Amino acid sequence: MVRWFRRKTKAEVAREAEVPELREPEAEPGEAAEPAEAAAPPEPADIQAEASSGAEEPPLEAHIEAEAPAPAALQTPEDEEVLSPEEEARLAEVPEARRGLFRRFRERLGRTRKTFLDGFDLLFAKHPFVDEAFLEDLEELLITADLGVETALSLMSAMQERVRRRELSNVERLKAALKTEMLEMLTSAPAPRITARPKVVLMVGVNGVGKTTTIAKLAHRDRAAGRQPLLIAADTFRAAAAEQLEIWGQRVGAPVIRQHHGADPAAVVFDGLSAALSRGVDTVYIDTAGRLHTKVNLMEELKKIHRTTAKKLPGAPHEVLLVLDATTGQNAVSQARLFQEAVGLTGIVLTKLDGTAKGGVALAVVHETGIPLRFLGVGEGLEDLKPFDPEAFVEAILG
């Protein structure tokens, strides 16, 4: 028989000295004590494992301290961007009231900025000098960012003039030149101040661009400014469209005027404007059915809504805002042109800019249609609809 021995550690000896020996309870008189079960002999493999680990295991607290994660305050979120000293210096020059907008645009337009900055680095790595080959690749980069051919050619014309004057010798000078030209392209006359009460805003656009949620965000801005909005559910074509608008109206504290599914949209608008006049609200937003800009009959229905609004309230609608999805690229330009012909647009709301790397479509829409950008959608929250600021936008996409 092979016997296995292991020397007890000092810790084991100390623990045995502290724990009292357990004894079997004595049997009552007249009862025979049950024989104790024989302990199973230890398996050799187990004993060998114990013998091989002669050192004491560290206490449990040591394991906990080693596995505990770092404090949350020391962990930086992955999506939190740290500004360079140069960028912090530029931001410090911005008036304090606009710094939040600059930071928000920069945070949410990161994909578009990465497209530009990565492209600039590749350009200067590929071309040691700014020559015709460099300019051809720069033009391709601008078109890739969805500026469109016409807008890209306009910018390239200005860049060629600067090349002749040898002003584009490095990345920083190239960015500064593009910023100047883009800012000039995006800057338009300020929107006229509308004093009519109620101010009527007709919202138009194709399916899926975010008209209903944009209306809710605009109404939320009105409520925050102390104005009372009213929403008209003139989208009687899409199932549950009126219900969706009602839910948003409850969230932002705006009443909703609606009728049954399939009702005449123009009649809904007429009743909604009557309610707005009787209640004395400040702003009216008309939600219309999403329609393909290529469908003539649907565009004619939109024109009818426009005529009904003007008949009920002379001078209305005071604004006609087209909602465009930035992720559709150059298709947004053709949508803007056709809606402009149908109802006459006063401004554009560009949504979903935080989800695309082709934010250059904003420049294409403004340059090729002449319609000013009024708001940018940079997220899904109610606070994520921001007034368009050309300087903040250009700074956000070019860094």
Side-chain angles (χ1 to χ4, degrees):
M1 172 187 272
V2 179
R3 295 188 179 183
W4 300 84
F5 297 94
R6 180 173 67 87
R7 186 180 298 276
K8 294 184 179 180
T9 63
K10 294 180 179 181
E12 291 175 339
V13 174
R15 283 197 295 268
E16 289 179 357
E18 293 177 359
V19 179
E21 183 181 359
L22 297 179
R23 300 178 181 274
E24 291 293 334
E26 297 181 0
E28 294 290 336
E31 293 183 1
E34 295 182 3
E37 295 182 2
E43 293 291 335
D46 295 337
I47 301 176
Q48 284 180 337
E50 291 180 4
S52 63
S53 58
E56 290 188 49
E57 290 188 5
L60 182 60
E61 291 78 1
H63 289 291
I64 297 175
E65 290 177 0
E67 296 175 0
L74 301 179
Q75 295 177 346
T76 304
E78 294 181 0
D79 59 348
E80 184 178 343
E81 186 176 2
V82 179
L83 300 181
S84 67
E86 294 79 7
E87 292 167 336
E88 288 286 2
R90 287 200 300 269
L91 186 63
E93 297 175 0
V94 178
E96 188 173 355
R98 298 172 63 201
R99 288 179 192 173
L101 185 64
F102 271 63
R103 284 187 178 275
R104 191 62 167 168
F105 276 12
R106 181 179 179 82
E107 174 189 346
R108 294 307 178 95
L109 296 174
R111 294 185 181 182
T112 300
R113 181 172 61 258
K114 189 176 188 302
T115 298
F116 278 112
L117 298 187
D118 288 353
F120 293 157
D121 291 339
L122 288 175
L123 277 177
F124 281 95
K126 180 180 179 181
H127 303 282
F129 304 103
V130 178
D131 51 15
E132 289 299 323
F134 176 93
L135 292 177
E136 288 179 4
D137 286 348
L138 176 59
E139 180 181 330
E140 182 180 348
L141 171 63
L142 296 177
I143 295 174
T144 302
D146 249 1
L147 270 73
V149 176
E150 183 178 332
T151 306
L153 289 177
S154 178
L155 285 172
M156 290 308 302
S157 177
M159 292 299 104
Q160 287 172 346
E161 179 62 31
R162 291 176 181 270
V163 168
R164 281 193 289 269
R165 298 198 298 264
R166 298 186 177 182
E167 296 179 2
L168 304 182
S169 58
N170 55 47
V171 174
E172 292 305 318
R173 288 190 176 185
L174 173 62
K175 289 198 298 184
L178 281 174
K179 283 180 183 179
T180 300
E181 298 299 330
M182 288 181 175
L183 191 59
E184 183 177 347
M185 188 177 288
L186 289 171
T187 303
S188 58
R193 187 169 181 271
I194 300 172
T195 58
R197 188 170 180 271
K199 180 178 78 171
V200 180
V201 182
L202 180 63
M203 306 293 294
V204 299
V206 301
N207 287 312
V209 295
K211 284 192 307 299
T212 304
T213 51
T214 298
I215 289 174
K217 293 174 183 179
L218 289 169
H220 176 71
R221 290 178 59 86
D222 281 344
R223 292 284 292 169
R227 296 185 294 269
Q228 177 58 55
L230 180 139
L231 316 181
I232 299 178
D235 182 359
T236 60
F237 177 75
R238 180 170 63 91
E243 288 81 358
Q244 181 186 6
L245 189 64
E246 274 192 320
I247 293 172
W248 278 114
Q250 292 172 2
R251 291 180 182 176
V252 301
V256 177
I257 304 300
R258 57 166 293 188
Q259 288 188 16
H260 61 86
H261 177 68
D264 181 7
V268 180
V269 170
F270 190 89
D271 291 345
L273 291 176
S274 299
L277 291 170
S278 64
R279 300 182 188 187
V281 300
D282 299 299
T283 316
V284 176
Y285 295 102
I286 302 175
D287 186 18
T288 60
R291 58 203 73 231
L292 293 174
H293 52 288
T294 54
K295 298 294 184 181
V296 178
N297 58 328
L298 294 178
M299 296 300 280
E300 289 298 322
E301 183 182 89
L302 188 59
K303 293 178 183 178
K304 180 182 176 183
I305 293 175
H306 193 283
R307 292 194 301 269
T308 301
T309 304
K311 181 179 179 180
K312 178 63 178 178
L313 193 62
H318 306 100
E319 286 196 81
V320 181
L321 298 182
L322 171 65
V323 182
L324 295 174
D325 181 347
T327 63
T328 59
Q330 288 298 300
N331 191 34
V333 178
S334 61
Q335 292 176 28
R337 285 173 174 160
L338 291 173
F339 276 100
Q340 170 77 330
E341 294 174 4
V343 290
L345 303 173
T346 61
I348 290 174
V349 180
L350 196 58
T351 64
K352 307 180 185 180
L353 271 169
D354 57 319
T356 180
K358 298 185 176 183
V361 68
L363 289 106
V365 170
V366 173
H367 179 254
E368 297 185 31
T369 67
I371 305 168
L373 274 173
R374 296 292 308 281
F375 294 93
L376 295 184
V378 293
E380 298 180 357
L382 287 173
E383 303 288 344
D384 288 332
L385 186 69
K386 303 296 184 182
F388 179 66
D389 185 313
E391 186 179 355
F393 177 80
V394 171
E395 185 68 30
I397 65 173
L398 292 183

